[in-house]
Amino acid sequence: MEYLACYLAAVNILLCALMGTDKLLAKLQKRRIPEKALFALAVLGGALGGTVGMYSFHHKTLHKSFAIGFPLLTIVQIAAVAYVAYLVIK
């Protein structure tokens, strides 16, 4: 369970930071982080960090796929982690 917690913390911090980085790159008109990469990290457990980053940096909030997808993935991932924790504690 500790490994899962460390993994989830790392992927969420990474995706939050990448949302901020992508916002900065957009402002500087530089090469951006592909949306597929951001979504891949969200699917791999970083949806909460992506959601926090999206609203903290006001980035991609007008994209429905992000504004709806990240929060929904967050709910699913929190439920999955709660279920795994329940199984471990049981």
Side-chain angles (χ1 to χ4, degrees):
M1 194 70 184
E2 296 85 22
Y3 292 117
L4 177 61
C6 289
Y7 168 78
L8 290 173
V11 74
N12 279 282
I13 290 168
L14 174 63
L15 186 51
C16 186
L18 285 176
M19 292 298 284
T21 301
D22 193 49
K23 175 70 174 199
L24 178 62
L25 292 171
K27 285 183 177 182
L28 298 174
Q29 298 181 346
K30 300 283 184 177
R31 186 179 171 123
R32 308 275 302 281
I33 299 168
E35 289 184 354
K36 286 182 181 182
L38 298 174
F39 259 108
L41 285 171
V43 169
L44 293 173
L48 178 60
T51 302
V52 169
M54 179 174 58
Y55 288 107
S56 295
F57 300 110
H58 304 285
H59 187 52
K60 304 254 186 225
T61 56
L62 298 179
H63 290 78
K64 290 190 189 288
S65 59
F66 282 86
I68 295 170
F70 276 18
L72 284 178
L73 273 172
T74 299
I75 292 167
V76 169
Q77 289 172 3
I78 289 171
V81 169
Y83 181 68
V84 168
Y86 167 76
L87 291 177
V88 169
I89 293 170
K90 182 179 166 184

